[in-house]
Coordinates of all heavy atoms in Angstrom, one line a residue:
M1 N -40.1 158.2 89.5 CA -41.5 157.9 89.8 C -41.7 157.1 91.0 O -42.6 157.3 91.8 CB -42.1 157.2 88.6 CG -43.6 156.9 88.8 SD -44.3 156.4 87.2 CE -45.7 155.6 87.8
A2 N -40.7 156.1 91.2 CA -40.8 155.3 92.4 C -40.7 156.1 93.7 O -41.4 155.8 94.7 CB -39.7 154.2 92.4
T3 N -39.8 157.1 93.7 CA -39.7 158.0 94.8 C -41.0 158.7 95.1 O -41.4 158.8 96.3 CB -38.5 159.0 94.6 OG1 -37.3 158.3 94.4 CG2 -38.4 159.9 95.8
G4 N -41.6 159.2 94.1 CA -42.9 159.9 94.3 C -44.0 159.1 94.8 O -44.8 159.5 95.6
L5 N -44.0 157.8 94.5 CA -45.0 156.9 95.0 C -44.6 156.4 96.4 O -45.5 156.1 97.3 CB -45.1 155.7 94.1 CG -45.7 156.0 92.7 CD1 -45.6 154.8 91.8 CD2 -47.1 156.5 92.8
A6 N -43.3 156.2 96.7 CA -42.9 155.7 98.0 C -42.8 156.7 99.1 O -43.0 156.4 100.3 CB -41.5 155.0 97.8
T7 N -42.6 157.9 98.8 CA -42.5 159.0 99.8 C -43.7 159.1 100.7 O -43.6 159.1 101.9 CB -42.1 160.3 99.2 OG1 -40.8 160.1 98.5 CG2 -42.0 161.4 100.2
P8 N -44.9 159.2 100.2 CA -46.1 159.3 101.1 C -46.2 158.1 102.0 O -46.6 158.3 103.2 CB -47.3 159.4 100.1 CG -46.7 159.9 98.8 CD -45.3 159.3 98.8
V9 N -46.0 157.0 101.5 CA -46.1 155.8 102.4 C -45.0 155.8 103.5 O -45.3 155.5 104.6 CB -45.9 154.5 101.5 CG1 -45.9 153.2 102.4 CG2 -47.0 154.4 100.5
T10 N -43.8 156.2 103.1 CA -42.7 156.2 104.1 C -43.0 157.3 105.2 O -42.7 157.0 106.3 CB -41.4 156.5 103.4 OG1 -41.2 155.6 102.3 CG2 -40.2 156.5 104.3
V11 N -43.4 158.5 104.8 CA -43.7 159.6 105.7 C -44.8 159.2 106.7 O -44.6 159.4 107.9 CB -44.0 160.9 105.0 CG1 -44.5 161.9 106.0 CG2 -42.8 161.4 104.2
V12 N -45.8 158.5 106.2 CA -46.9 158.1 107.1 C -46.4 157.1 108.1 O -46.7 157.2 109.3 CB -48.1 157.6 106.3 CG1 -49.1 156.9 107.2 CG2 -48.7 158.7 105.5
A13 N -45.7 156.1 107.6 CA -45.1 155.1 108.5 C -44.1 155.7 109.6 O -44.2 155.3 110.7 CB -44.4 154.0 107.7
A14 N -43.3 156.6 109.1 CA -42.4 157.2 110.1 C -43.1 158.1 111.1 O -42.8 158.1 112.3 CB -41.4 158.1 109.3
T15 N -44.1 158.8 110.7 CA -44.9 159.6 111.6 C -45.6 158.7 112.7 O -45.5 159.0 113.9 CB -46.0 160.4 110.9 OG1 -45.3 161.2 109.9 CG2 -46.7 161.3 111.8
V16 N -46.2 157.6 112.2 CA -46.8 156.7 113.2 C -45.8 156.1 114.1 O -46.1 156.1 115.4 CB -47.6 155.6 112.4 CG1 -48.0 154.5 113.3 CG2 -48.8 156.2 111.7
A17 N -44.7 155.7 113.6 CA -43.6 155.1 114.5 C -43.2 156.1 115.5 O -43.0 155.8 116.7 CB -42.5 154.7 113.7
V18 N -42.9 157.4 115.1 CA -42.5 158.4 116.1 C -43.5 158.7 117.1 O -43.3 158.8 118.3 CB -42.1 159.7 115.3 CG1 -41.9 160.9 116.3 CG2 -40.8 159.4 114.5
M19 N -44.8 158.8 116.7 CA -45.8 159.2 117.6 C -46.2 158.1 118.6 O -46.5 158.3 119.8 CB -47.1 159.6 116.8 CG -46.9 160.9 116.0 SD -46.3 162.3 116.9 CE -47.6 162.6 118.0
E20 N -46.0 156.8 118.2 CA -46.3 155.7 119.1 C -45.1 155.4 120.0 O -45.3 154.8 121.0 CB -46.6 154.5 118.3 CG -48.0 154.5 117.6 CD -48.4 153.3 116.9 OE1 -47.5 152.4 116.8 OE2 -49.5 153.1 116.5
A21 N -43.9 155.9 119.6 CA -42.7 155.5 120.4 C -42.7 156.3 121.8 O -42.1 155.8 122.7 CB -41.5 155.8 119.6
G22 N -43.3 157.5 121.8 CA -43.2 158.3 123.0 C -44.4 158.3 123.8 O -45.5 157.8 123.4
P23 N -44.3 158.8 125.0 CA -45.5 158.8 125.9 C -46.6 159.8 125.4 O -46.2 160.8 124.7 CB -45.0 159.2 127.3 CG -43.7 159.9 127.0 CD -43.2 159.3 125.7
A24 N -47.8 159.6 125.7 CA -48.9 160.4 125.1 C -48.8 161.8 125.6 O -49.1 162.7 124.8 CB -50.2 159.8 125.6
D25 N -48.3 162.1 126.8 CA -48.2 163.5 127.2 C -47.1 164.3 126.6 O -47.0 165.5 126.7 CB -48.0 163.5 128.8 CG -46.8 162.9 129.3 OD1 -46.3 161.9 128.6 OD2 -46.2 163.3 130.3
K26 N -46.2 163.6 125.8 CA -45.1 164.2 125.1 C -45.4 164.2 123.6 O -44.4 164.3 122.8 CB -43.8 163.6 125.4 CG -43.4 163.7 126.9 CD -43.1 165.1 127.2 CE -42.5 165.1 128.7 NZ -42.3 166.4 129.2
A27 N -46.6 164.0 123.2 CA -46.9 163.8 121.7 C -46.5 165.1 120.9 O -46.1 165.0 119.8 CB -48.4 163.5 121.5
G28 N -46.8 166.2 121.5 CA -46.5 167.5 120.9 C -45.0 167.7 120.6 O -44.5 168.1 119.6
V29 N -44.2 167.3 121.6 CA -42.7 167.4 121.5 C -42.2 166.4 120.4 O -41.4 166.7 119.6 CB -42.1 167.1 122.9 CG1 -40.5 167.0 122.7 CG2 -42.4 168.1 123.9
A30 N -42.8 165.2 120.5 CA -42.4 164.2 119.5 C -42.7 164.6 118.1 O -41.9 164.5 117.1 CB -43.1 162.8 119.8
S31 N -43.9 165.2 117.9 CA -44.3 165.7 116.6 C -43.4 166.8 116.1 O -43.0 166.9 115.0 CB -45.7 166.2 116.7 OG -46.1 166.8 115.5
A32 N -43.0 167.7 117.0 CA -42.2 168.9 116.7 C -40.8 168.4 116.3 O -40.2 168.9 115.3 CB -42.1 169.9 117.9
V33 N -40.2 167.5 117.1 CA -38.9 167.0 116.8 C -38.8 166.3 115.5 O -37.9 166.5 114.7 CB -38.3 166.1 118.0 CG1 -37.1 165.4 117.6 CG2 -38.1 166.9 119.2
F34 N -39.8 165.5 115.2 CA -39.9 164.8 113.9 C -40.1 165.8 112.8 O -39.4 165.6 111.8 CB -41.1 163.8 114.0 CG -41.3 163.1 112.7 CD1 -40.4 162.2 112.2 CD2 -42.4 163.4 111.9 CE1 -40.6 161.5 111.0 CE2 -42.6 162.8 110.7 CZ -41.7 161.8 110.2
N35 N -40.9 166.8 112.9 CA -41.1 167.7 111.9 C -39.8 168.5 111.6 O -39.5 168.7 110.4 CB -42.2 168.7 112.3 CG -43.1 169.0 111.1 OD1 -42.9 168.5 110.0 ND2 -44.1 169.9 111.3
V36 N -39.1 168.9 112.6 CA -37.9 169.7 112.5 C -36.8 168.8 111.8 O -36.1 169.3 110.9 CB -37.4 170.3 113.8 CG1 -35.9 170.7 113.7 CG2 -38.3 171.4 114.3
S37 N -36.7 167.6 112.2 CA -35.7 166.7 111.6 C -36.0 166.4 110.2 O -35.1 166.4 109.3 CB -35.6 165.4 112.4 OG -36.8 164.7 112.3
R38 N -37.3 166.3 109.8 CA -37.7 166.1 108.4 C -37.4 167.3 107.6 O -36.8 167.2 106.5 CB -39.2 165.8 108.4 CG -39.7 165.3 107.0 CD -41.1 164.9 107.1 NE -42.0 165.9 107.6 CZ -42.5 166.9 106.9 NH1 -42.2 167.0 105.6 NH2 -43.3 167.8 107.4
Q39 N -37.6 168.5 108.1 CA -37.3 169.8 107.4 C -35.8 169.9 107.2 O -35.4 170.3 106.1 CB -37.9 171.0 108.1 CG -39.4 171.0 108.2 CD -40.0 171.3 106.9 OE1 -39.5 172.0 106.1 NE2 -41.3 170.9 106.7
V40 N -35.0 169.7 108.2 CA -33.6 169.9 108.1 C -33.0 168.8 107.2 O -32.2 169.1 106.3 CB -32.9 169.7 109.5 CG1 -31.4 169.6 109.4 CG2 -33.3 170.9 110.4
G41 N -33.5 167.6 107.2 CA -33.0 166.6 106.3 C -33.4 166.9 104.9 O -32.6 166.7 104.0
S42 N -34.6 167.4 104.7 CA -35.0 167.8 103.3 C -34.1 168.9 102.8 O -33.6 168.9 101.6 CB -36.4 168.3 103.3 OG -37.3 167.2 103.6
A43 N -33.8 169.9 103.6 CA -32.9 171.0 103.1 C -31.5 170.5 102.9 O -30.9 170.9 101.8 CB -32.9 172.1 104.2
M44 N -31.0 169.7 103.7 CA -29.7 169.1 103.5 C -29.6 168.3 102.2 O -28.7 168.3 101.5 CB -29.2 168.3 104.7 CG -28.9 169.2 105.9 SD -28.5 168.3 107.4 CE -27.0 167.4 106.9
G45 N -30.7 167.5 102.0 CA -30.8 166.7 100.8 C -30.8 167.5 99.5 O -30.1 167.2 98.6
V46 N -31.6 168.5 99.5 CA -31.6 169.4 98.3 C -30.2 170.0 98.1 O -29.8 170.1 97.0 CB -32.7 170.5 98.5 CG1 -32.5 171.6 97.5 CG2 -34.1 169.9 98.5
A47 N -29.6 170.5 99.2 CA -28.2 171.1 99.0 C -27.2 170.0 98.5 O -26.5 170.3 97.6 CB -27.8 171.7 100.3
L48 N -27.3 168.9 99.1 CA -26.3 167.8 98.7 C -26.5 167.4 97.2 O -25.6 167.3 96.4 CB -26.4 166.6 99.6 CG -25.6 165.4 99.2 CD1 -24.1 165.7 99.3 CD2 -26.0 164.2 100.0
F49 N -27.8 167.1 96.9 CA -28.1 166.6 95.6 C -27.9 167.7 94.5 O -27.5 167.4 93.4 CB -29.5 166.0 95.5 CG -29.6 164.8 96.3 CD1 -30.8 164.5 97.0 CD2 -28.6 163.9 96.5 CE1 -30.9 163.4 97.8 CE2 -28.7 162.8 97.3 CZ -29.8 162.5 98.0
G50 N -28.2 168.9 94.9 CA -27.9 170.1 94.0 C -26.4 170.2 93.7 O -26.0 170.4 92.6
T51 N -25.6 170.0 94.7 CA -24.1 170.0 94.5 C -23.7 168.8 93.7 O -22.8 169.0 92.8 CB -23.4 169.9 95.9 OG1 -23.8 171.0 96.7 CG2 -21.9 169.9 95.8
L52 N -24.2 167.6 93.9 CA -23.9 166.5 93.1 C -24.3 166.7 91.6 O -23.5 166.4 90.7 CB -24.5 165.2 93.6 CG -24.0 164.6 94.9 CD1 -24.9 163.5 95.4 CD2 -22.6 164.2 94.7
L53 N -25.4 167.3 91.4 CA -25.9 167.6 90.1 C -25.0 168.5 89.3 O -24.7 168.4 88.2 CB -27.3 168.2 90.2 CG -28.1 168.4 88.9 CD1 -28.3 167.0 88.2 CD2 -29.4 169.0 89.1
D54 N -24.4 169.5 90.1 CA -23.6 170.5 89.5 C -22.2 170.0 89.2 O -21.5 170.4 88.2 CB -23.5 171.7 90.4 CG -22.8 172.9 89.7 OD1 -23.0 173.2 88.6 OD2 -21.9 173.5 90.4
T55 N -21.7 169.1 90.1 CA -20.3 168.7 90.0 C -20.0 167.3 89.4 O -18.8 167.0 89.1 CB -19.6 168.7 91.4 OG1 -20.3 167.8 92.2 CG2 -19.6 170.1 92.0
A56 N -21.0 166.5 89.2 CA -20.8 165.1 88.8 C -20.9 164.9 87.3 O -21.4 163.9 86.8 CB -21.7 164.2 89.5
G57 N -20.4 165.8 86.5 CA -20.3 165.5 85.0 C -21.6 165.8 84.3 O -22.0 165.0 83.5
G58 N -22.2 166.9 84.6 CA -23.5 167.3 83.9 C -24.7 166.7 84.5 O -24.7 166.1 85.6
T59 N -25.8 166.9 83.9 CA -27.1 166.6 84.4 C -27.3 165.1 84.6 O -27.7 164.7 85.7 CB -28.3 167.1 83.5 OG1 -28.1 168.5 83.3 CG2 -29.6 166.9 84.1
I60 N -27.0 164.3 83.6 CA -27.2 162.9 83.8 C -26.3 162.3 84.8 O -26.7 161.5 85.6 CB -27.0 162.2 82.4 CG1 -28.0 162.7 81.4 CG2 -27.2 160.7 82.5 CD1 -29.5 162.6 81.7
G61 N -25.0 162.6 84.8 CA -24.1 162.1 85.8 C -24.5 162.6 87.2 O -24.3 161.8 88.1
G62 N -24.9 163.8 87.3 CA -25.3 164.3 88.6 C -26.6 163.6 89.1 O -26.7 163.3 90.3
L63 N -27.5 163.3 88.2 CA -28.7 162.6 88.7 C -28.4 161.2 89.1 O -28.9 160.7 90.1 CB -29.8 162.6 87.5 CG -30.4 163.9 87.3 CD1 -31.3 163.8 86.0 CD2 -31.2 164.4 88.5
H64 N -27.5 160.6 88.4 CA -27.0 159.2 88.7 C -26.3 159.2 90.1 O -26.6 158.4 90.9 CB -26.1 158.6 87.6 CG -25.6 157.3 87.9 ND1 -26.4 156.2 87.9 CD2 -24.4 156.9 88.3 CE1 -25.7 155.1 88.2 NE2 -24.4 155.5 88.5
A65 N -25.4 160.2 90.3 CA -24.7 160.2 91.6 C -25.7 160.5 92.7 O -25.6 159.9 93.8 CB -23.7 161.3 91.5
A66 N -26.7 161.4 92.5 CA -27.7 161.7 93.5 C -28.5 160.5 93.8 O -28.8 160.2 95.0 CB -28.6 162.9 93.1
A67 N -28.9 159.7 92.8 CA -29.7 158.5 93.0 C -28.9 157.5 93.9 O -29.4 156.8 94.7 CB -30.1 157.9 91.7
V68 N -27.6 157.3 93.5 CA -26.8 156.3 94.3 C -26.6 156.8 95.7 O -26.8 156.0 96.7 CB -25.4 156.2 93.6 CG1 -24.4 155.5 94.5 CG2 -25.5 155.6 92.3
V69 N -26.4 158.0 96.0 CA -26.2 158.5 97.4 C -27.5 158.4 98.1 O -27.6 158.0 99.3 CB -25.7 160.0 97.4 CG1 -25.8 160.6 98.8 CG2 -24.3 160.1 96.8
A70 N -28.6 158.7 97.5 CA -30.0 158.6 98.1 C -30.3 157.2 98.5 O -30.8 156.9 99.6 CB -31.0 159.2 97.3
S71 N -29.9 156.3 97.6 CA -30.2 154.8 97.8 C -29.4 154.3 99.0 O -29.8 153.6 99.9 CB -29.9 154.0 96.6 OG -30.7 154.4 95.5
A72 N -28.1 154.7 99.0 CA -27.2 154.3 100.1 C -27.7 154.9 101.5 O -27.7 154.2 102.5 CB -25.8 154.8 99.9
A73 N -28.2 156.1 101.5 CA -28.7 156.8 102.7 C -29.9 156.0 103.1 O -30.1 155.8 104.3 CB -28.9 158.2 102.5
F74 N -30.8 155.7 102.2 CA -32.0 155.0 102.6 C -31.7 153.6 103.2 O -32.3 153.3 104.2 CB -32.9 154.8 101.3 CG -34.1 154.0 101.6 CD1 -35.2 154.5 102.3 CD2 -34.2 152.6 101.2 CE1 -36.3 153.7 102.6 CE2 -35.3 151.8 101.5 CZ -36.3 152.4 102.2
L75 N -30.8 152.9 102.6 CA -30.4 151.6 103.1 C -29.8 151.7 104.5 O -30.1 150.9 105.4 CB -29.5 150.9 102.1 CG -30.2 150.4 100.8 CD1 -29.1 149.8 99.9 CD2 -31.2 149.4 101.1
L76 N -28.9 152.7 104.7 CA -28.3 152.9 106.0 C -29.3 153.3 107.1 O -29.2 152.8 108.2 CB -27.2 154.0 105.9 CG -25.9 153.5 105.2 CD1 -25.0 154.7 105.0 CD2 -25.2 152.4 106.0
A77 N -30.3 154.1 106.7 CA -31.3 154.5 107.7 C -32.3 153.4 107.9 O -32.9 153.4 109.0 CB -32.0 155.7 107.1
S78 N -32.5 152.5 107.0 CA -33.5 151.5 107.2 C -33.1 150.4 108.3 O -34.0 149.9 109.0 CB -33.9 150.8 105.9 OG -32.8 150.0 105.5
V79 N -31.8 150.2 108.5 CA -31.4 149.3 109.5 C -31.8 149.7 110.9 O -32.5 148.9 111.6 CB -29.9 149.0 109.3 CG1 -29.4 148.1 110.5 CG2 -29.6 148.4 108.0
P80 N -31.4 150.9 111.4 CA -31.8 151.2 112.7 C -33.3 151.4 112.9 O -33.9 151.2 113.9 CB -31.1 152.5 113.0 CG -30.6 153.0 111.7 CD -30.5 151.9 110.8
A81 N -34.0 151.9 111.8 CA -35.4 152.0 111.8 C -36.1 150.7 112.0 O -37.0 150.6 112.8 CB -35.9 152.7 110.5
A82 N -35.6 149.7 111.3 CA -36.2 148.4 111.5 C -36.0 147.8 112.9 O -36.9 147.2 113.5 CB -35.7 147.4 110.4
A83 N -34.8 148.0 113.4 CA -34.4 147.5 114.7 C -35.3 148.3 115.8 O -35.7 147.6 116.8 CB -32.9 147.7 115.0
T84 N -35.5 149.5 115.6 CA -36.3 150.3 116.6 C -37.7 149.9 116.6 O -38.3 149.7 117.6 CB -36.1 151.8 116.3 OG1 -34.8 152.2 116.3 CG2 -36.9 152.7 117.3
G85 N -38.2 149.6 115.4 CA -39.6 149.2 115.3 C -39.8 147.8 116.0 O -40.8 147.6 116.7
R86 N -38.9 146.9 115.8 CA -39.0 145.6 116.5 C -38.9 145.8 118.0 O -39.7 145.1 118.7 CB -37.9 144.7 116.0 CG -38.2 144.1 114.7 CD -37.2 143.0 114.3 NE -37.0 143.0 112.9 CZ -35.9 143.3 112.3 NH1 -34.9 143.7 113.0 NH2 -35.8 143.3 111.0
R87 N -38.1 146.6 118.5 CA -37.9 146.9 119.9 C -39.2 147.5 120.5 O -39.7 147.1 121.5 CB -36.7 147.8 120.2 CG -36.1 147.5 121.5 CD -34.8 148.3 121.7 NE -33.9 148.4 120.5 CZ -33.5 149.5 120.0 NH1 -33.8 150.7 120.5 NH2 -32.7 149.6 118.9
A88 N -39.8 148.4 119.8 CA -41.0 149.1 120.2 C -42.2 148.1 120.3 O -43.0 148.0 121.2 CB -41.4 150.3 119.3
D89 N -42.2 147.2 119.3 CA -43.3 146.1 119.2 C -43.1 145.2 120.4 O -44.1 144.8 121.1 CB -43.2 145.3 117.9 CG -43.7 146.2 116.7 OD1 -44.4 147.2 117.0 OD2 -43.4 145.8 115.6
A90 N -41.9 144.8 120.7 CA -41.7 143.9 121.9 C -42.0 144.6 123.2 O -42.6 143.9 124.1 CB -40.2 143.5 121.9
T91 N -41.8 145.9 123.3 CA -42.1 146.6 124.5 C -43.6 146.7 124.7 O -44.1 146.5 125.8 CB -41.5 148.0 124.5 OG1 -40.1 147.9 124.3 CG2 -41.8 148.8 125.8
R92 N -44.3 146.9 123.6 CA -45.8 147.0 123.7 C -46.4 145.7 124.1 O -47.5 145.6 124.7 CB -46.4 147.6 122.4 CG -46.4 149.1 122.4 CD -47.2 149.5 121.2 NE -46.7 149.1 119.9 CZ -45.9 149.9 119.2 NH1 -45.6 151.1 119.6 NH2 -45.4 149.5 118.0
A93 N -45.8 144.6 123.6 CA -46.4 143.3 123.8 C -46.3 142.9 125.3 O -47.1 142.0 125.7 CB -45.6 142.3 123.0
R94 N -45.5 143.5 126.1 CA -45.3 143.1 127.5 C -46.5 143.6 128.3 O -47.2 144.3 128.5 CB -44.1 143.7 128.1 CG -42.8 143.0 127.5 CD -41.6 143.5 128.2 NE -40.5 143.3 127.3 CZ -39.4 143.9 127.4 NH1 -39.1 144.7 128.4 NH2 -38.4 143.7 126.6

């Protein structure tokens, strides 16, 4: 349930960050690259978590393994995202 509630907030924040990071004349390119990366990441996530679900000791074990991997990926991705956001804020402040 937490994922279902957090995903819309995360996607909106990520979209805003990507669109504000690039120059206005390249907004279409930024949007396209963001959209493609989101689609590829989603497809890879479904494949990975489906594999974990199948191989990690049944449904419950697979769901647990998928949740652990997803949590680790989120934490790893949040570090550069936070650093990039701070850098963009500092650049805009100048």
Side-chain angles (χ1 to χ4, degrees):
M1 184 167 157
T3 302
L5 295 173
T7 300
V9 175
T10 306
V11 170
V12 171
T15 303
V16 169
V18 167
M19 295 307 293
E20 287 184 351
D25 63 329
K26 299 290 184 187
V29 174
S31 175
V33 169
F34 175 70
N35 218 3
V36 167
S37 65
R38 191 174 54 84
Q39 294 287 334
V40 170
S42 294
M44 291 175 60
V46 167
L48 173 67
F49 296 145
T51 301
L52 287 173
L53 187 64
D54 187 46
T55 61
T59 303
I60 300 300
L63 289 173
H64 179 73
V68 169
V69 171
S71 297
F74 174 77
L75 290 174
L76 286 172
S78 66
V79 173
T84 303
R86 282 192 212 109
R87 211 174 318 125
D89 289 342
T91 303
R92 275 193 294 264
R94 291 184 204 166

